[in-house]
Amino acid sequence: MIGSVTVVGLGPGDEALITPEVTCALAVATDVVGYIPYVARIPSRDGLTLHASDNRVELERATHALEMAAEGRRVVVVSSGDPGVFAMASAVFEAVEHTPRFASINIRVMPGITAMLAAAARVGAPLGHDFCAINLSDNLKPWEIVERRLRLAAQADFAMAFYNPRSASRPHQFARALDILREECEATRLVIFARAVATPEEDINIVTLAEARAEMADMRTVVLVGNAATRRIGPYAYTPRRAG
Amino acid sequence: MIGSVTVVGLGPGDEALITPEVTCALAVATDVVGYIPYVARIPSRDGLTLHASDNRVELERATHALEMAAEGRRVVVVSSGDPGVFAMASAVFEAVEHTPRFASINIRVMPGITAMLAAAARVGAPLGHDFCAINLSDNLKPWEIVERRLRLAAQADFAMAFYNPRSASRPHQFARALDILREECEATRLVIFARAVATPEEDINIVTLAEARAEMADMRTVVLVGNAATRRIGPYAYTPRRAG
């Protein structure tokens, strides 16, 4: 018997943001695999084994999931947000590419509410026009690529969402990212720091680019940057549908 | 008594992709407002009035929703996908900006599964690295902006998602967009045509940029374009997390 790997997104935190499709997949799983804080969100039950692993071992975790599926188990790999956005879905396919015997395993990806869209909804509609999503971590790419991409995105007048803006091991790069934005954009550009969206620790801060400081972000923050037309209206921030 | 406007995303089609948060909002609504095919997805019940309107009247629809809320009603504005991604959330805030008496109305946006992430999940993980979302319609922006943005996005090596790629009234522009991509990207670049994702009419087609033809898209299609590293692995398409 061949099992399956289902890669699901748990959304940003609130259980009310988990799709019924994902809830059903979890209900029939034999094994749940994921990063410790995400696996901690899954209630234990008879017949379900929880496999929590540390951060930065995505490929090992994906391989473990595929190995269990090859033994006939129904494995669910959990990510926060959407599994296809800077999360486990790519790691699973990388593991398949590295190990040909996994090619026959049934893999399914189930989308989820990704952090940038939960954050955008919280403040209004700052991503209401063309936008981009950039992972600011240079764990998996040279920082030069991040800088170049940031500059081109600003020149294209995309609204932007930054994932993984800043961590204890990378405290200085987000400051550099803000410097690049200051070179390319006006000082009144809106910057939204959305920390721990849809959790009890949620904290949202809307400032201008002139006011933005790197210390306003940590690894639980998604940062949204408006385009040239993004504006405040009362407590909300939104980007008009019209441009040009 | 002051009412409320809740702007919700119904996801791409499958009811199993509607978040419980949105289902709860619909359960307590007095009025549902939206484009005809989206309102048609809401079951009628006692105490609920459905207000379906035609396409391209987003601002009038938003104003109508806010007027009913000002009269004390609990209004839900429905969009397909996520309401903050080329949908009704921006139109609601535009209406607030135009009409100061709406400023006191309680507005809440609830995220949904947007088409590009549902499509990406269906084929694997093509948006697994930095990516952008571009509305190819020039109803609300000059076509020159679209061309410039496309070119810069390709130079930045973003994976891309195109919303509203082609309609009966705009049959030629998507062909032009493909020409620009051919100037900027290699012929083997992967292009994914995902039509009516998560509906019974779903049709997914993965081709190379050399094979892509404008006729492969219509208004129900979201088009995904990989970055330079996006590849096929068996029936899946995915973008590695590493770059550079």
Side-chain angles (χ1 to χ4, degrees), chain A residues 20-21 49 64 72 78 97 106 108 111-112 131-132 145 163 191 197 240:
Chain A
E21 179 182 68
T49 306
H64 180 213
V78 292
E97 194 170 30
N106 183 27
R108 187 163 170 207
F131 65 95
C132 64
I145 287 187
Y163 286 73
V191 181
V197 170

Side-chain angles (χ1 to χ4, degrees), chain B residues 18-191:
Chain B
I18 300 179
T19 66
E21 179 182 68
V22 167
T23 301
C24 289
L26 288 165
V28 298
T30 60
D31 299 84
V32 167
V33 172
Y35 177 40
I36 297 161
Y38 309 148
V39 173
R41 291 175 57 187
I42 310 301
S44 61
R45 61 168 164 78
D46 283 351
L48 176 66
T49 307
L50 301 176
H51 307 265
S53 46
D54 208 348
N55 207 353
R56 295 214 191 177
V57 293
E58 290 82 4
L59 203 57
E60 296 89 318
R61 186 188 299 144
T63 302
H64 181 214
L66 289 158
E67 279 167 351
M68 288 193 289
E71 291 162 6
R73 303 188 69 84
R74 284 190 303 278
V75 183
V76 171
V77 177
V78 292
S79 285
S80 160
D82 181 287
V85 179
F86 312 126
M88 281 300 295
S90 282
V92 168
F93 293 107
E94 283 173 38
V96 173
E97 193 171 32
H98 293 165
T99 309
R101 73 186 169 89
F102 291 152
S104 60
I105 293 170
N106 182 27
I107 301 171
R108 186 160 172 209
V109 181
M110 294 182 172
I113 302 295
T114 186
M116 68 177 166
L117 297 184
R122 215 50 135 205
V123 299
L127 304 179
H129 196 75
D130 301 337
F131 65 95
C132 64
I134 303 178
N135 186 344
L136 286 194
S137 167
D138 65 348
N139 289 337
L140 295 163
K141 64 187 163 193
W143 176 250
E144 295 67 38
I145 288 187
V146 179
E147 289 205 2
R148 175 175 154 76
R149 204 162 272 164
L150 265 177
R151 214 175 276 282
L152 288 166
Q155 289 165 6
D157 198 24
F158 280 115
M160 305 180 207
F162 301 148
Y163 285 73
N164 303 317
R166 189 163 174 270
S167 73
S169 62
R170 299 180 291 106
H172 304 302
Q173 293 170 341
F174 181 52
R176 175 72 190 129
L178 289 174
D179 285 343
I180 291 169
L181 290 177
R182 288 188 182 103
E183 289 170 28
E184 301 287 342
C185 308
E186 70 290 353
T188 54
R189 183 68 58 106
L190 288 187
V191 181

Side-chain angles (χ1 to χ4, degrees), chain A residues 17-98:
Chain A
L17 294 178
I18 301 179
T19 65
E21 179 182 68
V22 167
T23 301
C24 288
L26 288 166
V28 299
T30 60
D31 299 83
V32 167
V33 172
Y35 177 40
I36 297 161
Y38 309 147
V39 172
R41 291 176 57 187
I42 310 301
S44 62
R45 61 169 165 78
D46 283 350
L48 176 66
T49 306
L50 300 176
H51 308 265
S53 46
D54 207 349
N55 207 353
R56 293 212 192 181
V57 294
E58 289 82 5
L59 204 57
E60 295 89 320
R61 185 188 298 144
T63 303
H64 180 213
L66 289 158
E67 278 168 353
M68 288 192 290
E71 292 162 6
R73 302 188 69 84
R74 283 189 304 277
V75 183
V76 171
V77 177
V78 292
S79 286
S80 160
D82 181 288
V85 179
F86 311 126
M88 282 300 296
S90 282
V92 167
F93 293 107
E94 282 173 39
V96 173
E97 194 170 30
H98 293 165

Side-chain angles (χ1 to χ4, degrees), chain A residues 13-216:
Chain A
D14 186 343
E15 304 301 301
L17 294 178
I18 301 179
T19 65
E21 179 182 68
V22 167
T23 301
C24 288
L26 288 166
V28 299
T30 60
D31 299 83
V32 167
V33 172
Y35 177 40
I36 297 161
Y38 309 147
V39 172
R41 291 176 57 187
I42 310 301
S44 62
R45 61 169 165 78
D46 283 350
L48 176 66
T49 306
L50 300 176
H51 308 265
S53 46
D54 207 349
N55 207 353
R56 293 212 192 181
V57 294
E58 289 82 5
L59 204 57
E60 295 89 320
R61 185 188 298 144
T63 303
H64 180 213
L66 289 158
E67 278 168 353
M68 288 192 290
E71 292 162 6
R73 302 188 69 84
R74 283 189 304 277
V75 183
V76 171
V77 177
V78 292
S79 286
S80 160
D82 181 288
V85 179
F86 311 126
M88 282 300 296
S90 282
V92 167
F93 293 107
E94 282 173 39
V96 173
E97 194 170 30
H98 293 165
T99 309
R101 71 186 168 89
F102 291 151
S104 61
I105 293 171
N106 183 27
I107 300 171
R108 187 163 170 207
V109 181
M110 293 182 173
I113 302 294
T114 186
M116 67 177 167
L117 297 185
R122 216 49 134 205
V123 299
L127 304 178
H129 196 75
D130 300 339
F131 65 95
C132 64
I134 303 178
N135 186 345
L136 286 194
S137 167
D138 65 348
N139 289 339
L140 295 163
K141 64 187 163 194
W143 176 250
E144 295 67 39
I145 287 187
V146 179
E147 289 205 4
R148 175 176 155 75
R149 205 162 270 165
L150 266 176
R151 213 175 277 283
L152 288 166
Q155 289 165 6
D157 199 25
F158 280 114
M160 305 181 207
F162 301 148
Y163 286 73
N164 304 316
R166 190 165 174 268
S167 72
S169 62
R170 299 181 291 105
H172 304 302
Q173 292 170 342
F174 181 52
R176 175 74 190 129
L178 288 174
D179 284 344
I180 290 169
L181 290 178
R182 288 189 182 103
E183 288 170 29
E184 301 287 341
C185 308
E186 69 290 353
T188 54
R189 183 69 60 106
L190 288 186
V191 181
I192 297 150
F193 293 88
R195 184 173 188 278
V197 170
T199 78
E201 298 85 43
E202 178 176 295
D203 184 31
I204 307 233
N205 192 9
I206 308 180
V207 301
T208 64
L209 183 53
E211 296 163 338
R213 287 179 299 108
E215 297 70 33
M216 292 173 176

Side-chain angles (χ1 to χ4, degrees), chain B residues 6 175 187:
Chain B
T6 307

